[in-house]
Amino acid sequence: MNLRKNIVALCGGVGGAKLALGLASFDADIDLSIIANTGDDFEHLGLNISPDIDTIAYTLAGIANPEAGWGRADETWSFMDALADLGGETWFRLGDKDLALNVLRTNLLRSGIGLSEVTSIITDQLGISSELIPMSDTDVRTVLQTDHGALDFQDYFVRLQCTPVVSSIEFKGSDNAKPSARFEELLTDPDVDAFVICPSNPFISIDPILAIPTVRAKLADHPAPVVAISPLIGGKSVKGPTSKLMSELDVGSSAGDIAKYYGDFIDGFVLDHRDSPFCVEIEQTGIQPFCSNVVMSTLDDRCRLARDVVRFAGVLTA
Ligand code: FO1
């Protein structure tokens, strides 16, 4: 009997990357393919920056900055300090080691290599065994309509620290975007055993992936179950602006509201024990709830949650 399991995880920034590490670590019989959000990507200081790809790569390689969640551990900041002395833009902090990766990516892209191949060159160099796949090789850019006008993602998230009030979110370029070739393959691969929607921010990390034409429908049509993990605990986002965006976008405030927001294309929803009162309303929408401990402070936490998610998916019928 083939014990190997093919898991495809849709993932954004810090929270999602933690579960991705758990999925990559808890069982050697898991073949993990991670689909990374690229809606946060932007050109800055002449560089092509892909924050969620890098956050996931650094996390899987064990070299992520554990406090910030983004950028690298043991970083130095000579480039930023020198740039500041020259009056350059330093609101988006690029450490010296992080800079090297972004210079490499920029030059590979400029030579005509696509983002998927560039990303596999980087993951090979970092010794990462899981597949890390951009959601698309064409540009999709998250733009937020706010009380400060239209904002590119990093302006909203970093420069303005998520303080603007958001009225709507668009994904520029998504209408003409296609899933990356490998993502396209996985969406119709009968050997995929489960799709996992990591506990990333649904609106700014998962929605850009779902906005690419055919993705949502193919996930719904695939025979494998789709399991989402709640990014909230007790109505609070573990990190970042999920709760704030829920109220600004009028999506509700609970884990149950997140399950309903994802809606028909998910089969199961993993939520924290503290949110178990929402299981009934989730079940009434036809989505199977499963309670676990969603807090991921240690590697053991990440592996345990990953194990719960894969086991839960194993008993779900899509
Ligand atoms: N997030 C910040 O809040 N401040 C920063 O200065 C910052 C720099 C940065 C540099 C490289 C990188 O890959 C990510 C970086 N991030 C920073 C995180 C980034 O804004 C991501 O888009 C978020 O993690 C959301 O996923």
Side-chain angles (χ1 to χ4, degrees):
M1 176 165 124
N2 178 7
L3 278 174
R4 296 204 73 75
K5 277 198 176 298
N6 294 309
I7 305 291
V8 179
L10 276 58
C11 189
V14 176
K18 287 181 180 171
L19 182 63
L21 180 61
L23 289 166
S25 312
F26 89 95
D27 180 344
D29 286 333
I30 298 269
D31 287 323
L32 180 62
S33 304
I34 301 163
I35 309 297
N37 166 44
T38 55
D40 295 7
D41 291 14
F42 73 140
E43 289 73 36
H44 183 61
L45 300 173
L47 298 169
N48 293 87
I49 299 178
S50 297
D52 282 353
I53 288 176
D54 295 354
T55 294
I56 298 164
Y58 292 152
T59 301
L60 291 180
I63 56 174
N65 175 328
E67 286 76 42
W70 51 265
R72 286 188 56 164
D74 311 320
E75 198 43 290
T76 52
W77 300 92
S78 305
F79 165 68
M80 277 280 118
D81 295 344
L83 188 62
D85 293 346
L86 292 164
E89 278 190 273
T90 56
W91 58 270
F92 190 81
R93 315 277 307 142
L94 274 177
D96 300 329
K97 297 187 181 83
D98 201 11
L99 173 64
L101 188 149
N102 282 286
V103 166
L104 175 71
R105 172 166 46 234
T106 302
N107 284 291
L108 288 171
L109 288 170
R110 282 203 190 135
S111 73
I113 299 174
L115 185 58
S116 288
E117 191 180 341
V118 169
T119 303
S120 61
I121 290 168
I122 290 167
T123 51
D124 288 350
Q125 292 298 327
L126 292 175
I128 294 167
S129 54
S130 304
E131 271 192 296
L132 181 49
I133 304 154
M135 67 188 197
S136 177
D137 278 8
T138 50
D139 285 0
V140 177
R141 294 287 180 268
T142 300
V143 175
L144 302 99
Q145 298 301 332
T146 77
D147 55 357
H148 289 55
L151 293 173
D152 289 344
F153 180 81
Q154 298 299 340
D155 278 327
Y156 164 77
F157 191 87
V158 177
R159 196 168 54 78
L160 298 171
Q161 296 292 304
C162 305
T163 51
V165 175
V166 175
S167 52
S168 65
I169 303 176
E170 289 136 28
F171 308 111
K172 262 170 51 185
S174 59
D175 291 349
N176 308 316
K178 287 194 307 188
S180 56
R182 182 63 182 133
F183 186 20
E184 184 71 65
E185 266 176 28
L186 289 166
L187 280 168
T188 52
D189 180 347
D191 292 337
V192 170
D193 294 297
F195 291 93
V196 174
I197 311 294
C198 289
S200 302
N201 185 311
F203 318 108
I204 55 179
S205 297
I206 302 298
D207 276 349
I209 304 174
L210 301 176
I212 299 172
T214 77
V215 168
R216 198 184 184 99
K218 285 181 177 165
L219 286 171
D221 293 346
H222 195 287
V226 181
V227 176
I229 292 86
S230 173
L232 297 180
I233 294 176
K236 295 255 178 308
S237 15
V238 179
K239 193 171 170 103
T242 300
S243 303
K244 179 172 180 285
L245 285 169
M246 284 182 81
S247 64
E248 290 168 0
L249 296 172
D250 197 18
V251 168
S253 59
S254 74
D257 293 320
I258 296 274
K260 286 184 276 189
Y261 176 77
Y262 280 134
D264 57 357
F265 86 99
I266 65 169
D267 304 289
F269 191 73
V270 177
L271 63 166
D272 192 79
H273 294 295
R274 280 154 278 193
D275 292 318
S276 58
F278 297 104
C279 285
V280 174
E281 74 180 69
I282 291 172
E283 212 148 13
Q284 283 165 349
T285 64
I287 296 168
Q288 278 300 310
F290 181 89
C291 280
S292 176
N293 176 359
V294 170
V295 176
M296 292 182 280
S297 310
T298 65
L299 179 57
D300 280 352
D301 291 342
R302 293 162 201 183
C303 290
R304 180 194 34 70
L305 180 56
R307 184 179 299 111
D308 281 357
V309 167
V310 171
R311 278 192 188 146
F312 175 48
V315 297
L316 269 179
T317 48

